[in-house]
Amino acid sequence: MAQGPPSKPNVIVCLLDQLRAFEVGAYGNSAIHTPNMDRLAAGGVRFEIACSNNPVCTPGRSILLSGQYGRTCTGVLGNADEPVPTREKFPNRTIAEAFRSAGYATGLIGKWHVHVDPALLGFDTAFYPLVPHRYTGQTFIDSRDEGFTTDRFCPEVEQEELDRWLSERKETPFFLYYNISQPHMPLADVPERYKTMYSRDTVPLRENVWTDGKPAYNENWFRIYLWDFLFYREHLPYTESLPDGFDLRDLTALYYGATTWADDQVGNLLRMLEENSLLENTILLFTSDHGDNLGSHGLFNKDVLYEESIRVPMIYHWPAGLAPRAIDTQVASLVDVMPTLLSLSGQSIPEGIQGTDLSDVARGEASEIGPNAAFIETTSMTSGVRTLSHLYGLKMDKGPDGKPHGTPDPALFFDLDRDPLQQRNLAGTSEQRDLAGELRERVMEWDAATPWLPSVDC
């Protein structure tokens, strides 16, 4: 007799790396080919405004896993190379631990980049690349077997593991943390068909990449985008110079290609869920750890308080439990993921969670809830708040302990309804002064109320 789906919904977090919302068809980009992301959006709950609370890989991922802000769950705001404290020093349960305590099988597949053994954070199984930010020549860690090195493209290897893992999960409810590394650099290390998929002559550039009629250009950053640490750490000879005539249009075409590569992986995930009769009763969250400046405001990479860096796609897809809708009345962010997924699946939310449970909004039972804003930090000591209509940021001095100190100065204030490309900074002007004061107070109150992880011995 065929086994029916578990009464508890399965839960998958599908997390991309460095995908900004503006490069997804469902978010208004008609030039890029993302049919599988668009399918999720059409059949799911899409938050129009969703943000990374700390637009860098490690803290962004830690926030999602813990339901706490980066300063609280790890005590760092950037990609620290040293390990974070051992599991016994963490004050709260992670999302994987919460689901495991509710009887779920838990698994990690794909990029990790959290600098602590996944088993210590609640994962029964873990299959992930040893070194982030390379697509070939990768060594994989497998918690159930010996690790191995392969010359294949690592997303292909991860897809095979995904197929195997899902095929074994037809009777027990599961929580899967599935990480897709694209479109993060190195963009020269992707399959040829994706590198050549988009023409430099046809990809659109955002209007805020131009200065004096020229698109943003930075030779050093272009090399990092192409080769990542093979350039800035290993200094391999072929990474020392750019292809002839390489500019922002070439870089954008490569970014588009890597995004479509990621979309194909999303399609494979949907195919596997369908083939194993799992799609209907699986809550699938699709999002990214942060965006990418990609030349906007003359900047590259991430980690700044601009829309291109902080805005991410966020879609909750659950055919059995959520009616499709687009939500433009609520700001969502990574810190809200853990409480929202736990609530949607009928589980209790642990104490100490700093995010907001958005399940009532996702179900259509409320138009907004909680602070209805995303609080954001960067390694440049800029703390800010993104509301439905504005973005406000305070610049603070960095103390000897690496934490913000002193009296903050207003650094950024944008009316995004009137100025969506953030080309007119109102900070320090007389415009909308009362609102600026209110947003400043919100940031200061959040800063005072949000603790840092105490110093511990690792």
Side-chain angles (χ1 to χ4, degrees):
M1 182 175 179
Q3 177 73 37
S7 57
K8 298 176 181 178
N10 304 305
V11 180
I12 298 176
V13 171
C14 180
L15 183 68
L16 272 65
D17 195 342
Q18 203 145 322
L19 175 64
R20 64 187 188 186
F22 308 110
E23 267 62 55
V24 178
Y27 281 84
N29 190 321
S30 60
I32 198 162
H33 187 65
T34 54
N36 297 296
M37 300 178 196
D38 299 345
R39 174 187 171 189
L40 284 176
V45 176
R46 177 174 65 86
F47 283 87
E48 177 64 29
I49 301 174
C51 300
S52 173
N53 306 100
N54 195 325
V56 185
C57 296
T58 298
R61 292 161 183 271
S62 300
I63 290 166
L64 185 151
L65 289 168
S66 67
Q68 296 181 322
Y69 292 99
R71 61 165 66 183
T72 303
C73 65
T74 68
V76 295
L77 301 180
N79 286 336
D81 289 330
E82 68 275 7
V84 296
T86 58
R87 182 62 189 89
E88 289 75 12
K89 300 293 185 180
F90 275 69
N92 291 92
R93 285 190 294 172
T94 65
I95 188 171
E97 288 175 309
F99 276 112
R100 186 167 67 179
S101 69
Y104 281 64
T106 60
L108 157 70
I109 298 175
K111 179 179 176 177
W112 180 228
H113 208 177
V114 180
H115 304 299
V116 64
D117 188 338
L120 296 177
L121 298 185
F123 289 99
D124 299 329
T125 63
F127 183 92
Y128 60 100
L130 176 63
V131 180
H133 308 165
R134 68 182 304 164
Y135 295 119
T136 56
Q138 185 62 262
T139 297
F140 278 91
I141 304 298
D142 187 343
S143 63
R144 298 155 307 155
D145 204 345
E146 294 183 3
F148 63 93
T149 300
T150 178
D151 289 330
R152 299 172 59 198
F153 287 106
C154 63
E156 297 174 357
V157 178
E158 292 162 2
Q159 285 185 183
E160 290 177 356
E161 173 63 15
L162 173 70
D163 293 355
R164 185 205 62 76
W165 200 91
L166 287 177
S167 68
E168 298 175 355
R169 298 294 181 275
K170 296 181 180 180
E171 298 183 6
T172 303
F174 63 81
F175 168 74
L176 174 63
Y177 183 43
Y178 177 47
N179 291 262
I180 296 174
S181 295
Q182 304 96 289
H184 196 289
M185 64 270 296
L187 298 178
D189 191 26
V190 305
E192 191 67 22
R193 67 175 291 245
Y194 296 107
K195 286 197 290 187
T196 59
M197 182 171 287
Y198 294 90
S199 168
R200 56 160 281 125
D201 298 324
T202 59
V203 290
L205 300 181
R206 284 177 69 79
E207 294 177 18
N208 56 11
V209 306
W210 301 90
T211 302
D212 298 328
K214 297 180 180 179
Y217 184 91
N218 187 307
E219 183 176 350
N220 186 67
W221 270 116
F222 286 172
R223 290 199 292 261
I224 294 174
Y225 271 94
L226 289 176
W227 297 294
D228 205 273
F229 71 90
L230 296 176
F231 160 64
Y232 70 82
R233 286 186 182 174
E234 298 186 15
H235 302 287
L236 297 181
Y238 66 85
T239 69
E240 296 298 327
S241 60
L242 293 173
D244 290 342
F246 190 92
D247 64 12
L248 184 60
R249 290 192 179 279
D250 297 285
L251 178 61
T252 303
L254 290 173
Y255 183 87
Y256 273 47
T259 299
T260 297
W261 187 19
D263 185 81
D264 285 347
Q265 285 182 253
V266 174
N268 180 71
L269 169 61
L270 293 173
R271 176 185 61 80
M272 284 303 302
L273 290 173
E274 288 177 320
E275 289 181 359
N276 289 282
S277 301
L278 296 170
L279 184 62
E280 181 72 14
N281 198 37
T282 293
I283 305 172
L284 171 55
L285 169 70
F286 173 81
T287 190
S288 178
D289 55 358
H290 51 74
D292 192 322
N293 296 313
L294 207 64
S296 290
H297 317 287
L299 301 172
F300 292 91
N301 209 24
K302 59 261 187 178
D303 196 27
V304 293
L305 205 62
Y306 281 109
E307 290 279 270
E308 292 80 10
S309 186
I310 65 173
R311 286 280 299 281
V312 296
M314 187 168 288
I315 301 165
Y316 289 83
H317 183 274
W318 183 20
L322 293 174
R325 60 173 56 87
I327 295 173
D328 59 6
T329 58
Q330 175 76 47
V331 178
S333 63
L334 295 181
V335 76
D336 305 324
V337 167
M338 179 175 174
T340 301
L341 287 177
L342 287 172
S343 181
L344 285 173
S345 58
Q347 310 307 317
S348 60
I349 300 172
E351 294 183 5
I353 295 301
Q354 295 167 330
T356 299
D357 171 10
L358 302 180
S359 60
D360 283 348
V361 177
R363 292 190 185 99
E365 298 171 0
S367 61
E368 61 178 284
I369 197 169
N372 201 3
F375 292 95
I376 302 158
E377 289 189 285
T378 72
T379 60
S380 62
M381 298 293 113
T382 302
S383 298
V385 59
R386 183 22 164 121
T387 69
L388 288 171
S389 59
H390 288 73
L391 180 63
Y392 183 89
L394 288 171
K395 177 70 173 179
M396 302 184 76
D397 294 329
K398 186 175 182 179
D401 58 358
K403 301 175 183 178
H405 285 270
T407 302
D409 295 320
L412 300 168
F413 179 36
F414 294 100
D415 182 337
L416 297 170
D417 286 342
R418 299 179 180 178
D419 180 25
L421 294 172
Q422 295 178 275
Q423 295 177 304
R424 189 164 182 269
N425 189 357
L426 304 180
T429 73
S430 60
E431 295 189 46
Q432 304 185 44
R433 180 176 294 174
D434 290 346
L435 179 58
E438 294 173 11
L439 295 177
R440 175 189 176 90
E441 188 64 25
R442 291 188 72 176
V443 175
M444 294 294 289
E445 290 177 354
W446 173 86
D447 178 69
T450 308
W452 289 80
L453 179 73
S455 298
V456 294
D457 296 325
C458 297

